[in-house]
Amino acid sequence: MELKYFIIRRALVIIPTLMGLTILTFLLLWAYGPNLVAAGFESEKYHNVAAALAAQGFNFSDPIGTYFSYLAHLFTGNWGTINQPISAKTLTAVEIFFPNTIQLAIAATIVSVIIAIPLGTYIGARPNSPADQAGRIFSLSGYALPAFWLAYVLIILFGKKVGVVPYLNIFPYDGNGSLNVSSPIFNNFHVSTPTHILLIDALIAGDIPLFESAFMHLILPVATLTYGILAGILRFIRAGMVDASNQEFVKTARAKGVPEKTVIKKHIRKNALLPTVTVLGLLVSSLLGGVVTVEYVFDYLGIGYLAVYTAEATQVWGILVLTFIFGIILMITNLIVDVIYAFLDPRIRY
Amino acid sequence: MVEENITVTEQKERLKVQDLKVRFFTSKGIVKAIDNLSFSIREGESYGLVGESGSGKSVTATAVMDLIPDPPGRIIRGKIYIDGFNILTDLDQLAKIRIKSPTDVIIKRKKRLIKRHNYIMSGIRGDKVSMVFQEPFLSMNPVMTIGDQIKEAILLHGRVDIANSIIKRETMNAQEVSKIVDTIMAQPDTQTRNKIIVRLCGEYAIPELAKPFTDLFENSTDRDFIINEVLSLVNTKKTGLNLEKLEESKNYFLLRERILDLNLELIGAEHSGDERTAAQLEAQIKELKSTMRSQFLLYSIKRRFMRRFIDAPFEKFAEGRTLELLTQVNIAGPERVMTSYPHELSGGMLQRCMIAMAFSANPQLLIADEPTTALDVTTQAQILDLMKEVNKNYNTSILFITHDLAVIAEMCDRVGVIYGGNLVEEAPVKEIFYNAKHPYTTGLMNAIPRAERRFEKTARLESIPGSVPNLIDPPSGCRFHPRCKFKMDVCSEKKPKLVEIEKDHKVACFLYSDEVEEEPREEIP
Amino acid sequence: MVEEVIGLEQVNAGTKKYRPRLELFSATVKSFVSNKAAVIGAVITFIYFAIAIIDTVAPSVFGIPSGEYTDLGYYSKHISPVETFGIFSPGTSHGFKYLLGGTIFNYPLLPAMFASLKFDLGYSVLIVGVGALVGSAIGVTAGYLGRWADEFMMRVTDVFFSVPFLILAIAFSTIFGHDMLSAVYALLIIWWPIYARLSRSLALSTKSLNYVEAATAAGSSKVRNIFYHVFPNVLSPIFVQISLDLGSIILIFATLSFLGITNLPYSFPELGALISDGDNFVTSFIPLPGFHLIWWPLIIPGFFLLIFTVSINLFGDGMRDALDPKLRK
Ligand SMILES: Nc1ncnc2c1ncn2[C@@H]1O[C@H](COP(=O)(O)OP(=O)(O)OP(=O)(O)O)[C@@H](O)[C@H]1O
Ligand code: SF4
Ligand SMILES: [Mg+2]
């Protein structure tokens, strides 16, 4: 009951930030000027730019009115069209590309958490040991590595040269990386695409070779992405472990006669994971940043890929909408993180 | 337990510390925190340790539990007999310390041996000796409920006993009951009778019935009625659980206890250089372990993944015991406290919980490191009363640490005064207050504000000039000499030895004896 | 019944020594120097900056006039068709200039990397410096004034933190146009909130310090307080943050040009662009007999960047540890 109110209250806090974000993106739009705003709204139907703008409710001498038309566009999904990387309505492109990003991000998060918790426990319980030093170098390199470079290093190591893991993109794409939307992208696989997540769609269709191939194609992108997040989580868990093991209650546990292993797993780790949860929001932010480069390098058709191509082609509407979407994802994950934290830590009173 | 070791110390000594030496290896140098400290605590005795802040009281206490944080600290020499067993038997093998310079010390730890040492210590801590810490707020795990923390302590030791008493309860029949009722009724004194009832209830895993039973015996003298009542009450408590499964658990824990005991013996044998026995013991342990692996394979898998079901009877027992313990320490609303988290309770309540936790396994020795310093005066008095009660009722020995002499006067039978890591005086509490010998002790006594002195002409609070010595570079000779009013030439050159100058009264000061403490030549200064 | 031993407490209170600033400083330096990793990081960071400066002031010192690479018309003038086919591999056979081999159009890699530092470090320092200055001014003021100013600043920074930095950087530099300067502007705009937040929290904790309160009570003005009391306390954590951010910003900068957001010409001396040039060799590589993977145009600049980011992180971490008395041994 109480938790419900906490969630509602916490969700309400998002609203001002969300409005701020609409203002920020609107300012960008305004800064870009009237010229190309109409682009993406079939401006060729109109005689001139002004007419095209007016049809969309944009009037560059009336900022307030234009802001509200912008809001209307933003929240009704009327986001115009893009030509790069596919030529389609922006909304359609997002619908197709978004699930892939979710798949990538969740896979990377799961893999990192599965590795990070036992590894962090092991390292954090042995500060300054050789394992700890190695872990420290690893986390540092995770911070310092250019993700795109790491992706290529992985490709050279595990890509087609050695032939261990194929690095070709999941989806077929013609010529210079642009997709032809007139031929639905999944047609090549002869499966229906209810979820737009190839792994799941293949399973639903019962196409095991396709599933296998999709899985193999996922490995390198996930590995690249994992490296960065894992490094981050590891660093925090380690710090949390060291911090928790210096606290008094650990001595109490030992004085009770709790065996060393249980002290670490039950008493120290639980306290170490709590502060780690609070920084997950930060990590998700860097994860989403990493998604952009990884998708670009591996030609993985997610919204990060979409963002890079819309940006390169200066499709202003596309990039603004994507900025907004990324913002919403981050806000929601932060909300979830806070709720989880409140749920886990008895000291938080909501 | 270990035959050879018991003979080493006198009987009746619950704790005996000999030549304890503790060092902290810091980047500023080696902190000589404890030097050649010896004392002992007898059965049922309450021993006070006083000294200024930084004199090494907490370090002594943690050393007795073998909980000195490493790094930076280590016990480097000494013997600590707990219930006759020297927990530092294998001390020399645990680590090799090489000192290049005071700030550059290389410690090579033997991981395997330390692991075994910790394993043995975790069997001793909480079981034979418990500790109550100074800061109740910091000393409880913030993310576990009080109930869980106390239950954990209960379930760590004496699982076999728990299983036995549950089995006893489940198999209790009319015949047994009538026998018990007879023994209780044969006891004329109510006080003793009640005690017996409480003890028996614990033995039969029905602590919650102690109260109705005492009432019953008080209100009725009709034997048959009592027997019937008792039987029906006991029957309501029977859970009808699967005794075979419980037997299996019991055997498993029996084996574990056996392995622990063998390990204790092994350490003793290794230390005394008895290689044949050691080899035998080692083989025996190996064999038992392999039996355990084969015989209890399924059980340990179940225990790992279905803890909740396997441990259910134990958990239930622990819950009852927790409630009983919490009631014993006079906490208000013990049921609510059990499900509370530490931040939801006050300091006094938490300290009671700590004491309840410390008593979960009925240890013979309780170490209390300034248990009341963080509390307000009223709560302080209540906690002290509680500890005194426990001391009397269970004949528990207490090592009581404080810098508050008033508390010492109230709590302790014997007092040790510690200064700069050295014990400087040790005497019965009355002697310390009325016949203090060491200049430092007398200084401490004069520092107490006393009501009667206020009306004297020279009403003035005296304090000892100067401050606690820096233990990295302690003063030569008697560590107190820079602050001593009676300093002589010899004081800064030689170290006085703690000698018995009157019966039970020991002092380390050249004013009373010329004996010099011989420093053994050692690698570690 | 239970009494306090006042005498003992007094004795102890009298012995606490006041630590002058100089002693604190030397302790910090000592602690930093004892951290080997941090010292190595500092030295390498210094070397990178030295290369960047020397390459700007006197390009001929290295014997490789790298200045010409900033001339965008360079390759149309200098590259002969032959050179575009054979790309030199690392080694000394083609002279110092080609020590690390050539990249696309057989540009010599080493001078290109040296020239990159000039851009990458220069702009990064500019961005972090301006961000830190503006951000901490805003943060300290907001934190010190409190109430609505503080609230407003927090809400504005919330908005900036609500979008991943890279996305924000991409959006801003798209709006400003696809060139190097627009990326710089973009990063300038999005980088101040970090410092605003940091310095605000520092200012808040400093505000309640005794001597600041005392100064306020003595009638010292708010502005004076901010400058004389709050700023000095905020400085060292900010400095640590700067060093750590320098690593992140150079990465974002490189990423932007790698992604083609800052639409740089081939072989433009910028590390991200150089890596991006190198990736062509890897993606188009076909492992047929007789073909060799041209890895160095990709690996070497990346490694060069990695060493810098690792070093500056080590340096920053070491500095933070040294400045934090709790962590000092
Ligand atoms: N972890 C540690 N590292 C270094 N030195 C330590 C450490 N713990 C204790 N010491 C040193 O050991 C000495 C004794 O400390 P201890 O905590 O036993 O004092 P105490 O008598 O309990 O004082 P208090 O009344 O303040 O609790 C002190 O000089 C202290 O500096
Ligand atoms: S030995 Fe000397 S210095 Fe030490 S207490 Fe006795 S008289 Fe004082
Ligand atoms: Mg203490």
Side-chain angles (χ1 to χ4, degrees):
Chain A
M1 205 50 191
E2 274 186 340
L3 192 61
K4 196 171 91 187
Y5 289 123
F6 172 76
I7 295 173
I8 293 173
R9 224 174 40 222
R10 176 63 184 74
L12 288 179
V13 175
I14 288 185
I15 292 177
T17 316
L18 200 63
M19 290 326 281
L21 188 54
T22 60
I23 294 175
L24 185 69
T25 46
F26 176 71
L27 286 179
L28 284 180
L29 188 82
W30 193 266
Y32 196 70
N35 282 339
L36 271 164
V37 172
F41 287 103
E42 295 146 356
S43 45
E44 60 277 8
K45 274 202 244 162
Y46 301 93
H47 298 299
N48 55 29
V49 174
L53 284 173
Q56 301 300 329
F58 290 130
N59 175 2
F60 273 77
S61 54
D62 172 19
I64 305 290
T66 309
Y67 172 64
F68 282 108
S69 339
Y70 170 76
L71 276 191
H73 278 292
L74 209 54
F75 287 108
T76 53
N78 185 8
W79 299 337
T81 55
I82 52 169
N83 309 313
Q84 286 279 348
I86 58 172
S87 142
K89 278 193 161 178
T90 313
L91 182 62
T92 318
V94 170
E95 270 171 11
I96 297 172
F97 283 39
F98 188 68
N100 282 323
T101 299
I102 297 290
Q103 166 183 293
L104 183 63
I106 288 184
T109 310
I110 290 175
V111 173
S112 342
V113 169
I114 287 178
I115 300 175
I117 291 181
L119 199 61
T121 312
Y122 183 86
I123 288 173
R126 296 162 181 74
N128 300 324
S129 66
D132 183 33
Q133 303 293 0
R136 200 181 281 177
I137 291 169
F138 173 77
S139 347
L140 188 64
S141 71
Y143 267 47
L145 262 182
F148 50 92
W149 183 71
L150 172 68
Y152 281 113
V153 171
L154 289 182
I155 286 173
I156 292 176
L157 290 179
F158 303 108
K160 57 182 173 183
K161 187 182 154 204
V162 185
V164 177
V165 184
Y167 80 91
L168 296 167
N169 43 325
I170 303 181
F171 304 100
Y173 65 114
D174 44 21
N176 43 20
S178 72
L179 279 156
N180 192 349
V181 88
S182 59
S183 64
I185 45 174
F186 289 106
N187 266 6
N188 305 35
F189 298 117
H190 311 292
V191 292
S192 61
T193 58
T195 62
H196 289 304
I197 296 177
L198 196 54
L199 273 183
I200 297 174
D201 289 342
L203 272 188
I204 291 174
D207 190 342
I208 299 303
L210 176 60
F211 175 79
E212 215 172 275
S213 154
F215 183 77
M216 294 303 270
H217 282 104
L218 207 53
I219 290 177
L220 281 188
V222 167
T224 314
L225 211 47
T226 299
Y227 197 92
I229 329 170
L230 179 59
I233 303 184
L234 208 57
R235 185 168 169 150
F236 284 114
I237 293 185
R238 188 229 172 236
M241 288 288 291
V242 171
D243 204 41
S245 41
N246 285 331
Q247 283 178 33
E248 279 293 305
F249 66 82
V250 179
K251 220 189 235 176
T252 312
R254 291 205 175 103
K256 282 197 282 191
V258 181
E260 206 50 38
K261 254 189 199 163
T262 320
V263 170
I264 290 166
K265 283 191 182 159
K266 196 165 164 188
H267 291 268
I268 299 177
R269 180 162 73 189
K270 209 167 169 195
N271 280 280
L273 288 184
L274 282 177
T276 312
V277 172
T278 58
V279 296
L280 277 186
L282 274 179
L283 286 173
V284 171
S285 176
S286 78
L287 168 73
L288 290 176
V291 158
V292 175
T293 23
V294 168
E295 287 181 356
Y296 177 79
V297 172
F298 290 98
D299 284 341
Y300 183 96
L301 301 194
I303 50 170
Y305 182 86
L306 198 60
V308 176
Y309 277 90
T310 46
E312 275 182 3
T314 327
Q315 299 166 125
V316 175
W317 257 104
I319 189 65
L320 289 185
V321 163
L322 285 168
T323 307
F324 194 67
I325 289 175
F326 270 107
I328 288 181
I329 300 174
L330 191 55
M331 281 182 230
I332 291 176
T333 35
N334 274 330
L335 169 70
I336 295 172
V337 164
D338 279 5
V339 171
I340 291 177
Y341 186 68
F343 189 72
L344 288 181
D345 193 341
R347 283 164 296 186
I348 300 281
R349 269 189 224 128
Y350 22 78
Chain B
M1 197 189 303
V2 188
E3 307 303 324
E4 311 89 74
N5 276 318
I6 285 179
T7 52
V8 172
T9 71
E10 286 172 42
Q11 287 289 331
K12 306 251 175 192
E13 264 175 0
R14 286 276 169 80
L15 173 70
K16 182 169 173 173
V17 176
Q18 272 181 354
D19 298 329
L20 185 67
K21 215 170 193 185
V22 181
R23 296 286 178 267
F24 290 95
F25 302 99
T26 69
S27 59
K28 292 204 186 80
I30 302 173
V31 182
K32 299 159 189 72
I34 299 291
D35 242 355
N36 300 340
L37 194 76
S38 305
F39 66 96
S40 59
I41 302 179
R42 297 175 204 128
E43 194 176 319
E45 187 183 41
S46 173
Y47 186 96
L49 205 55
V50 267
E52 280 166 287
S53 186
S55 54
K57 305 184 297 289
S58 297
V59 174
T60 309
T62 18
V64 171
M65 298 294 281
D66 194 17
L67 284 175
I68 300 279
D70 174 26
R74 280 207 76 82
I75 300 176
I76 54 166
R77 198 158 59 84
K79 294 186 176 115
I80 296 175
Y81 292 97
I82 291 176
D83 206 22
F85 175 72
N86 178 10
I87 61 168
L88 301 181
T89 308
D90 53 355
L91 182 71
D92 297 337
Q93 301 149 34
L94 294 183
K96 291 269 170 290
I97 302 174
R98 230 181 82 221
I99 298 183
K100 283 184 167 171
S101 76
T103 51
D104 187 9
V105 178
I106 298 167
I107 301 178
K108 277 220 174 78
R109 298 178 180 79
K110 300 255 168 55
K111 281 206 189 103
R112 198 180 60 84
L113 290 176
I114 287 179
K115 223 172 183 173
R116 187 179 71 174
H117 183 78
N118 284 340
Y119 157 71
I120 281 163
M121 280 317 293
S122 66
I124 292 171
R125 290 180 202 137
D127 188 23
K128 302 224 171 332
V129 46
S130 296
M131 188 155 175
V132 176
F133 291 90
Q134 176 171 2
E135 292 278 352
F137 278 111
L138 302 178
S139 303
M140 287 290 211
N141 190 335
V143 299
M144 275 171 86
T145 61
I146 302 291
D148 283 347
Q149 296 187 51
I150 300 181
K151 271 195 271 180
E152 185 184 33
I154 294 169
L155 290 176
L156 279 167
H157 308 284
R159 285 270 195 151
V160 177
D161 295 342
I162 296 175
N164 273 335
S165 55
I166 296 175
I167 292 170
K168 258 181 161 174
R169 179 188 71 203
E170 294 293 320
T171 55
M172 202 172 191
N173 54 25
Q175 212 182 349
E176 216 178 330
V177 170
S178 58
K179 224 199 260 160
I180 291 172
V181 169
D182 282 343
T183 38
I184 294 176
M185 287 184 77
Q187 190 57 248
D189 177 31
T190 349
Q191 206 90 33
T192 356
R193 195 155 73 187
N194 289 352
K195 264 192 191 165
I196 294 176
I197 293 173
V198 170
R199 207 199 67 221
L200 281 171
C201 281
E203 219 168 274
Y204 282 83
I206 37 174
E208 61 273 34
L209 290 182
K211 186 91 186 53
F213 283 169
T214 43
D215 290 349
L216 188 67
F217 281 99
E218 228 154 82
N219 299 332
S220 164
T221 46
D222 180 358
R223 177 172 175 270
D224 291 337
F225 171 74
I226 290 181
I227 290 177
N228 272 337
E229 256 327 84
V230 168
L231 250 181
S232 67
L233 272 175
V234 168
N235 279 336
T236 58
K237 291 294 163 192
K238 288 189 182 173
T239 50
L241 49 89
N242 187 339
L243 283 184
E244 248 169 63
K245 277 193 183 151
L246 195 63
E247 269 311 326
E248 192 182 14
S249 293
K250 185 184 133 185
N251 290 336
Y252 173 77
F253 285 110
L254 214 55
L255 202 56
R256 268 185 35 172
E257 279 182 15
R258 178 90 189 107
I259 293 177
L260 179 67
D261 283 350
L262 284 178
N263 267 305
L264 290 180
E265 280 179 42
L266 174 63
I267 287 180
E270 272 175 10
H271 187 67
S272 59
D274 187 350
E275 276 169 31
R276 246 189 57 201
T277 326
Q280 268 173 9
L281 284 169
E282 213 153 342
Q284 219 172 334
I285 291 170
K286 227 178 193 165
E287 195 189 314
L288 280 185
K289 273 190 179 161
S290 74
T291 334
M292 184 145 140
R293 265 196 295 274
S294 56
Q295 206 175 335
F296 290 99
L297 177 68
L298 199 64
Y299 179 79
S300 38
I301 293 172
K302 275 194 282 186
R303 221 174 107 71
R304 180 159 187 145
F305 294 104
M306 305 195 302
R307 201 34 155 314
R308 206 170 272 224
F309 299 103
I310 294 286
D311 269 3
F314 292 98
E315 284 282 332
K316 191 128 188 304
F317 173 87
E319 211 159 306
R321 177 103 172 95
T322 307
L323 208 60
E324 187 200 342
L325 283 166
L326 287 176
T327 319
Q328 246 176 40
V329 295
N330 299 326
I331 215 163
E335 289 90 356
R336 192 184 64 82
V337 170
M338 268 182 76
T339 54
S340 303
Y341 287 96
H343 71 275
E344 295 165 341
L345 302 180
S346 70
M349 283 166 104
L350 276 181
Q351 199 56 290
R352 281 163 206 262
C353 295
M354 282 280 285
I355 292 175
M357 197 155 80
F359 270 93
S360 60
N362 282 328
Q364 302 123 333
L365 175 63
L366 179 71
I367 300 173
D369 186 0
E370 309 201 27
T372 56
T373 311
L375 307 176
D376 65 80
V377 182
T378 336
T379 326
Q380 204 172 352
Q382 287 168 356
I383 297 280
L384 290 181
D385 284 344
L386 181 68
M387 296 194 53
K388 258 199 287 195
E389 205 180 295
V390 157
N391 174 229
K392 277 216 188 69
N393 288 353
Y394 296 89
N395 205 19
T396 308
S397 310
I398 297 183
L399 171 56
F400 198 95
I401 290 171
T402 180
H403 60 238
D404 192 337
L405 286 166
V407 173
I408 287 282
E410 194 175 335
M411 281 294 300
C412 303
D413 306 326
R414 230 148 42 92
V415 183
V417 181
I418 187 168
Y419 181 82
N422 291 126
L423 207 58
V424 294
E425 183 160 12
E426 185 187 75
V429 64
K430 275 217 179 107
E431 283 276 306
I432 286 282
F433 276 86
Y434 294 112
N435 189 18
K437 299 274 195 236
H438 196 278
Y440 175 63
T441 319
T442 48
L444 277 187
M445 293 300 146
N446 291 338
I448 308 178
R450 282 193 186 138
E452 69 267 17
R453 251 195 257 154
R454 198 176 325 154
F455 306 107
E456 291 171 12
K457 250 208 169 142
T458 55
R460 191 168 61 85
L461 209 76
E462 281 180 55
S463 67
I464 310 165
S467 60
V468 191
N470 163 12
L471 291 180
I472 290 178
D473 223 352
S476 61
C478 171
R479 283 190 180 175
F480 187 58
H481 83 250
R483 296 167 75 184
C484 183
K485 276 192 259 183
F486 309 102
K487 179 188 170 287
M488 300 166 286
D489 291 342
V490 62
C491 298
S492 54
E493 286 155 19
K494 287 177 183 147
K495 197 167 183 174
K497 193 179 174 186
L498 189 70
V499 283
E500 191 159 357
I501 54 161
E502 282 164 30
K503 190 181 177 317
D504 272 348
H505 196 149
K506 295 180 191 166
V507 182
C509 173
F510 289 126
L511 291 175
Y512 303 96
S513 147
D514 297 332
E515 280 192 58
V516 176
E517 167 108 21
E518 295 298 342
E519 282 282 340
R521 288 198 128 270
E522 279 175 289
E523 193 198 358
I524 298 161
Chain C
M1 181 187 60
V2 183
E3 296 160 29
E4 280 283 311
V5 187
I6 298 167
L8 295 187
E9 306 298 296
Q10 279 176 341
V11 170
N12 289 332
T15 60
K16 270 197 185 131
K17 251 192 278 168
Y18 170 65
R19 249 186 162 189
R21 253 174 204 235
L22 191 68
E23 198 176 307
L24 200 69
F25 178 74
S26 76
T28 309
V29 171
K30 222 170 156 185
S31 161
F32 183 85
V33 171
S34 70
N35 183 347
K36 275 187 203 118
V39 173
I40 293 173
V43 169
I44 296 180
T45 308
F46 177 77
I47 292 174
Y48 269 68
F49 274 99
I51 291 175
I53 291 169
I54 292 171
D55 205 59
T56 318
V57 182
S60 56
V61 169
F62 296 115
I64 33 175
S66 64
E68 61 199 53
Y69 291 93
T70 51
D71 174 9
L72 300 186
Y74 174 79
Y75 58 89
S76 55
K77 279 182 277 175
H78 285 73
I79 301 293
S80 64
V82 181
E83 274 176 311
T84 51
F85 287 106
I87 288 168
F88 295 160
S89 55
T92 45
S93 51
H94 298 286
F96 184 59
K97 204 167 152 184
Y98 280 102
L99 188 66
L100 297 178
T103 174
I104 208 159
F105 303 122
N106 204 18
Y107 263 28
L109 197 53
L110 186 67
M113 285 189 334
F114 280 2
S116 306
L117 280 189
K118 188 162 48 191
F119 286 90
D120 280 327
L121 286 185
Y123 283 131
S124 300
V125 169
L126 175 75
I127 292 161
V128 178
V130 173
L133 215 62
V134 175
S136 49
I138 293 175
V140 168
T141 314
Y144 196 77
L145 292 181
R147 281 192 248 155
W148 66 265
D150 191 31
E151 191 61 30
F152 181 72
M153 190 215 76
M154 287 302 281
R155 293 291 82 79
V156 172
T157 49
D158 268 351
V159 174
F160 279 88
F161 285 121
S162 71
V163 182
F165 271 129
L166 187 60
I167 304 288
L168 215 52
I170 290 177
F172 271 81
S173 39
T174 305
I175 298 297
F176 295 149
H178 293 289
D179 53 37
M180 196 121 173
L181 275 184
S182 67
V184 174
Y185 292 146
L187 290 173
L188 275 177
I189 291 177
I190 65 174
W191 216 259
W192 65 268
I194 294 183
Y195 293 94
R197 280 279 182 93
L198 179 67
S199 55
R200 169 191 174 265
S201 65
L202 292 168
L204 282 186
S205 58
T206 318
K207 201 166 132 184
S208 54
L209 287 181
N210 284 340
Y211 65 86
V212 180
E213 273 177 0
T216 316
S220 133
S221 81
K222 275 192 173 176
V223 177
R224 208 189 122 85
N225 263 348
I226 290 179
F227 273 94
Y228 279 81
H229 298 298
V230 183
F231 252 122
N233 277 290
V234 171
L235 273 183
S236 63
I238 297 251
F239 196 57
V240 171
Q241 183 69 29
I242 285 181
S243 64
L244 291 175
D245 272 356
L246 222 47
S248 336
I249 214 132
I250 203 168
L251 275 183
I252 290 198
F253 206 69
T255 307
L256 283 179
S257 58
F258 170 81
L259 295 175
I261 307 294
T262 44
N263 200 4
L264 300 176
Y266 274 124
S267 292
F268 186 83
E270 197 289 322
L271 285 173
L274 286 180
I275 296 170
S276 179
D277 292 342
D279 80 39
N280 293 325
F281 296 110
V282 173
T283 46
S284 61
F285 174 66
I286 306 159
L288 292 176
F291 283 74
H292 297 286
L293 180 66
I294 300 177
W295 52 268
W296 56 93
L298 174 76
I299 299 295
I300 291 180
F303 209 70
F304 193 62
L305 177 55
L306 177 65
I307 290 175
F308 177 73
T309 48
V310 166
S311 310
I312 196 142
N313 268 299
L314 284 175
F315 174 51
D317 276 349
M319 208 150 60
R320 181 177 45 206
D321 292 354
L323 283 170
D324 188 345
K326 262 188 295 177
L327 293 173
R328 213 179 289 149
K329 264 199 265 172

